[in-house]
């Protein structure tokens, strides 16, 4: 199928096509791609365009190129996606073909701390609902989540069993999360988190701190998500302006 006639760069379209074929099962982990000559002909792009797309896919760990052998689809991690796309942890797990699960550790109301008041635009004395969960992929712990929500939005507390917190918040409040501002921090061993995620002392983690805003640009959710670094791969496409 020829790729052309789109304002986006051709190599990005090639990347999208290969990713789409992986998601739909047309390309499977470990499968060898056709030769550059054959694949460029199939897609209707130059070999230079194809090489650039494959180079970027290799950087994203989606393909593996073996010199003199060929290019292969990599075994998929639990998470693989653009960091510029806002998605729930549930969506991220299910997109990769795993069954998402939840272990609820604790839900409680409490007085907001200074950082929570700042992030959620709360006044002194206003409370928050704190939800601590472990998210699993096919039963394996992959993310430790700590979510904080203004108490006045959810006076009935957290009653869901395992659905996306985005969907739960929208179902009980009518509030739809529109976007988030994220900070990403690498982490080393942490006794509590590493034990919860079954990581050894040498295993790195990734902390994603996010303030989520509704469609009227009010902060409604402040989350700390601790990812196992061996189970996640985020990427970002940077364009020169």
């Amino acid at each position: 199928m020829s790729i052309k006639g789109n304002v986006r760069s051709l190599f990005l379209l090639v990347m999208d096509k290969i990713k789409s074929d992986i998601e739909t099962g047309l390309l499977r982990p470990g499968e060898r791609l056709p030769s550059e000559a054959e694949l460029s002909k199939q897609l209707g792009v130059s070999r230079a365009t194809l090489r650039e797309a494959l180079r970027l896919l290799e950087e994203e760990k989606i393909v593996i190129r073996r010199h003199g052998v060929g290019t292969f689809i990599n075994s998929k991690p639990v998470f693989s996606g653009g960091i510029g796309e806002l998605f729930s942890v549930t969506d991220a797990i299910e997109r990769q073909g795993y069954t998402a699960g939840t272990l609820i550790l604790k839900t409680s109301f409490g007085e907001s701390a200074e950082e929570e008041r700042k992030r959620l635009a709360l006044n002194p004395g206003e409370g928050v609902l704190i939800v601590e969960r472990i998210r699993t992929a096919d039963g394996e712990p992959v993310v430790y989540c700590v979510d904080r929500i203004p108490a006045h939005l959810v006076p009935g507390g957290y009653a869901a069993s395992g659905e996306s917190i985005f969907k739960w918040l929208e179902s009980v409040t009518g509030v739809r999360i529109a976007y988030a501002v994220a900070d990403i921090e690498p982490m080393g061993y942490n006794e509590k988190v590493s034990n919860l995620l079954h990581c050894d002392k040498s295993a790195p983690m990734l902390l994603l701190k996010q303030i989520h805003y509704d469609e009227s640009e009010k902060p409604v959710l402040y989350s700390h998500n601790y990812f196992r670094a061996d189970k996640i791969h985020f990427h970002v496409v940077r364009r020169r302006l």
Side-chain angles (χ1 to χ4, degrees):
M1 176 180 167
S2 179
I3 293 178
K4 58 184 177 180
N6 193 293
V7 295
R8 294 181 64 194
S9 298
L10 281 177
F11 72 85
L12 292 176
L13 292 176
V14 172
M15 293 173 66
D16 288 345
K17 176 68 169 81
I18 292 175
K19 290 177 182 178
S20 175
D21 286 350
I22 294 171
E23 290 177 0
T24 59
L26 292 177
L27 292 173
R28 300 182 179 278
E31 184 174 343
R32 184 178 181 273
L33 290 176
S35 67
E36 285 187 1
E38 184 179 349
L39 190 54
S40 61
K41 183 177 180 180
Q42 289 178 8
L43 298 175
V45 298
S46 69
R47 293 180 69 170
T49 295
L50 177 62
R51 288 192 191 104
E52 178 64 10
L54 293 177
R55 182 185 69 81
L56 292 171
L57 288 171
E58 185 177 31
E59 288 184 0
E60 294 180 14
K61 303 186 188 303
I62 292 173
V63 302
I64 300 173
R65 291 196 285 180
R66 298 171 182 161
H67 183 68
V69 179
T71 301
F72 297 82
I73 304 301
N74 197 3
S75 297
K76 58 186 178 183
V78 174
F79 299 95
S80 180
I83 196 66
E85 180 186 2
L86 178 60
F87 48 79
S88 70
V89 173
T90 299
D91 288 340
I93 293 172
E94 292 178 345
R95 284 183 186 184
Q96 296 300 312
Y98 297 91
T99 299
T102 304
L103 174 61
I104 300 174
L105 301 180
K106 183 176 72 173
T107 67
S108 62
F109 286 100
E111 184 176 346
S112 57
E114 182 178 353
E115 181 184 13
E116 294 161 348
R117 290 194 295 271
K118 178 181 177 182
R119 304 300 185 189
L120 293 171
L122 299 174
N123 296 316
E126 287 191 272
V128 291
L129 172 66
I130 302 175
V131 180
E132 292 186 45
R133 302 173 299 160
I134 294 176
R135 305 308 312 277
T136 61
D138 286 353
E140 183 177 9
V142 290
V143 192
Y144 168 55
C145 303
V146 182
D147 297 301
R148 302 166 180 86
I149 305 166
H152 65 84
L153 288 178
V154 285
Y158 182 76
S161 58
E163 64 184 319
S164 158
I165 203 161
F166 289 7
K167 293 178 180 178
W168 170 77
L169 189 60
E170 186 171 356
S171 69
V172 298
T173 67
V175 170
R176 182 179 181 276
I177 292 173
Y179 69 97
V181 176
D183 290 320
I184 307 170
E185 300 177 7
M187 281 185 58
Y189 175 77
N190 176 281
E191 183 174 2
K192 176 182 178 179
V193 180
S194 297
N195 287 337
L196 287 173
L197 295 180
H198 300 175
C199 297
D200 60 38
K201 292 186 177 182
S202 63
M205 292 179 289
L206 192 66
L207 169 59
L208 195 65
K209 295 182 179 179
Q210 296 189 100
I211 309 170
H212 300 79
Y213 296 83
D214 67 11
E215 293 173 315
S216 62
E217 300 196 350
K218 294 180 181 178
V220 294
L221 172 65
Y222 180 39
S223 64
H224 285 193
N225 292 333
Y226 300 82
F227 293 87
R228 282 181 53 170
D230 61 336
K231 298 295 181 181
I232 175 175
H233 173 67
F234 285 131
H235 68 267
V236 60
V237 176
R238 302 175 67 201
R239 295 178 176 85
R240 186 176 180 182
L241 301 178

